[in-house]
Amino acid sequence: MSLFLATLLPGLFIALLGTLLLINTPAISSTAKAIPRSKRAAWLFFGLAAVWFVWRVSQLGESDLIFAKSPKPLMIGFGVLAVLSFIYASEFLAVRGLSVLMLLAAEPVLSAAYMEYHHPQRLLMVTAVYLGVALAIYLGGAPYRLRDIFEWLFRLPSRPRLVGGILLAYGLATTAAAFTY
């Protein structure tokens, strides 16, 4: 992935999130509040995360495989764990799926910015991605906290607009930085 694309995509995503929060219609707030326990969101986010992770495991090289000769047993094992998660650990599975997606998406984006010291504007993207990684690790361990965050955020009508304005400005700045490479 090029540094341009690695900066453009997170910038557009952050700007989109900011725009949604800035608009703050009842449909947006009710959808956001429903995501943590939604079965459909769990199938979407955790399903995508499981497929992406199993695909990443299938790409492991010989030096990455310590106990197995091929990645197939690991792929089967993680696939079975994903299916069992839907059956036995379905609470807040959408939040865990979002966390895994954030962690998986961070690797190619941060790899594109690696050793690009002559482009200091990349730090806009890198900072946002590391904050996303920290949030993903936190929410992966305590997924019920996303429900609490949404309750706090949407309690007052001014909060989502303020957070949305900040995210929109940051996203647009990051998007603009992509065009300076």
Side-chain angles (χ1 to χ4, degrees):
M1 176 179 288
S2 69
L3 184 57
F4 168 76
L5 196 58
T7 306
L8 180 68
L9 292 178
L12 290 175
F13 180 74
I14 293 168
L16 175 66
L17 275 178
T19 302
L20 290 174
L21 288 175
L22 202 56
I23 294 169
N24 190 25
T25 64
I28 292 172
S29 64
S30 65
T31 301
K33 288 179 184 178
I35 284 177
R37 289 184 176 237
S38 169
K39 297 291 182 195
R40 287 182 181 169
W43 279 100
L44 175 67
F45 297 133
F46 196 79
L48 282 172
V51 168
W52 191 356
F53 185 75
V54 169
W55 177 80
R56 288 289 310 241
V57 169
S58 75
Q59 303 301 308
L60 291 176
E62 188 177 328
S63 62
D64 296 321
L65 300 169
I66 298 171
F67 299 110
K69 298 286 183 203
S70 81
K72 287 181 184 171
L74 294 173
M75 292 169 54
I76 292 168
F78 284 118
V80 168
L81 281 175
V83 170
L84 291 175
S85 295
F86 280 107
I87 298 168
Y88 294 108
S90 62
E91 285 293 307
F92 297 105
L93 203 55
V95 181
R96 290 187 175 101
L98 282 170
S99 297
V100 173
L101 286 172
M102 177 64 215
L103 295 172
L104 288 171
E107 190 269 331
V109 172
L110 292 174
S111 292
Y114 183 66
M115 300 289 288
E116 294 288 341
Y117 302 120
H118 53 284
H119 296 298
Q121 64 271 35
R122 84 193 186 293
L123 294 176
L124 283 169
M125 175 269 295
V126 170
T127 301
V129 171
Y130 277 124
L131 287 173
V133 166
L135 184 64
I137 291 170
Y138 177 70
L139 291 176
Y144 59 91
R145 292 292 187 186
L146 186 62
R147 178 197 60 205
D148 299 341
I149 290 169
F150 285 155
E151 286 297 323
W152 174 85
L153 182 65
F154 293 109
R155 190 173 302 141
L156 298 175
S158 59
R159 283 185 188 155
R161 288 192 172 90
L162 175 66
V163 172
I166 292 169
L167 287 175
L168 179 61
Y170 195 85
L172 291 176
T174 306
T175 301
F179 292 97
T180 63
Y181 299 128

